[in-house]
Amino acid sequence: MFDELAFKNWASSTELFPKEFCRKLAQECQRLHAQGVFHKASIGRGATKTTHAEIRGDLTLWIDKNSATPLQHDLLFSLNTLLERLNQSFYLGLKRFEIHFALYPPGAGYDKHLDNHRGSGERKITFILYLNEHWQKGHGGELSLYQPDHEDILISQIEPRLGTVMLFRSDLFPHQVEKSNQPRLSITGWFRDDAS
Ligand code: OGA
Ligand code: MN
């Protein structure tokens, strides 16, 4: 996956995390969502930060190392290893990452966007781990990836199946989450080059 990432600036893989581990993360995501601790996702930052369910309809819960469950600690550990691996391959100077659970209720999607907040570039690599064991065509919620500088040209559509990991350069690729017809679970994060 790393050669592919270096070559294309994006790559997907099903080899990074064992299925059983992903299944446990999916269960944890469902359990926490049922507890009502997820929040409506916002767009923009600071004074322009707002929620617009018609643009972005997911609910999120940030994973924080200070309150992480043992399972979340395992994930954070794996992502530290991934950060080091990315730095060895790409000299990106990645220093940290931030991740959250995301749940798209039926009918929700996320319109085409870039992940770098406008006017700042600390998010270097986007990471997504999909957690939908029984995903089938027709469930929707595919990730559509568009060409840098040609946001009408579709490069690929990634199915959000349990265990699929997607990595891409956060500043390059316009992307969109197609409307999901089923609850759609994932963990999304960004590797950053600023210190916390
Ligand atoms: C995001 C995003 C894509 C996905 O949260 O910024 O684009 O496939 N997610 O979940
Ligand atoms: Mn995004």
Side-chain angles (χ1 to χ4, degrees):
M1 136 171 259
F2 297 97
D3 288 345
E4 216 184 324
L5 185 62
F7 182 64
K8 300 188 303 194
N9 289 315
W10 73 274
S12 70
S13 170
T14 54
E15 313 282 289
L16 241 42
F17 297 100
K19 276 269 165 63
E20 194 46 41
F21 179 63
C22 298
R23 227 168 255 135
K24 287 183 189 150
L25 286 169
Q27 283 161 7
E28 186 148 302
C29 183
Q30 271 157 340
R31 181 175 60 78
L32 292 165
H33 177 252
Q35 287 175 10
V37 292
F38 279 52
H39 295 284
K40 281 205 181 84
S42 58
I43 48 182
R45 60 176 6 187
T48 63
K49 196 165 167 173
T50 49
T51 61
H52 286 283
E54 71 283 8
I55 298 174
R56 173 174 189 186
D58 58 331
L59 301 163
T60 63
L61 178 68
W62 289 98
I63 297 177
D64 174 4
K65 72 172 185 304
N66 297 313
S67 54
T69 63
L71 183 67
Q72 291 170 14
H73 269 297
D74 289 349
L75 177 66
L76 295 173
F77 184 85
S78 298
L79 289 177
N80 260 318
T81 309
L82 181 57
L83 182 149
E84 283 162 18
R85 182 75 176 72
L86 290 169
N87 274 338
Q88 283 162 11
S89 306
F90 304 114
Y91 310 103
L92 286 169
L94 302 173
K95 296 197 177 55
R96 65 185 179 111
F97 57 83
E98 52 190 353
I99 52 167
H100 60 59
F101 285 107
L103 192 144
Y104 288 73
Y110 192 166
D111 287 355
K112 202 183 287 179
H113 66 281
L114 278 174
D115 279 350
N116 252 331
H117 286 299
R118 216 179 283 273
S120 71
E122 298 94 356
R123 289 177 166 181
K124 292 293 163 203
I125 302 273
T126 300
F127 162 92
I128 309 160
L129 167 61
Y130 296 107
L131 299 177
N132 306 290
E133 173 117 59
H134 304 292
W135 190 89
Q136 299 171 14
K137 286 204 190 304
H139 285 186
E142 295 90 346
L143 173 68
S144 298
L145 195 71
Y146 294 88
Q147 197 166 306
D149 305 321
H150 294 277
E151 63 162 77
D152 296 328
I153 302 180
L154 183 67
I155 300 176
S156 188
Q157 279 196 319
I158 289 87
E159 299 175 345
R161 293 178 190 276
L162 184 83
T164 298
V165 167
M166 177 70 183
L167 290 172
F168 59 88
R169 280 268 306 271
S170 309
D171 57 340
L172 290 182
F173 294 96
H175 57 281
Q176 164 168 327
V177 178
E178 302 302 331
K179 185 165 84 90
S180 191
N181 305 311
Q182 296 279 325
R184 176 196 195 264
L185 280 49
S186 60
I187 291 172
T188 306
W190 296 272
F191 292 98
R192 305 173 59 116
D193 67 354
D194 56 340
S196 50

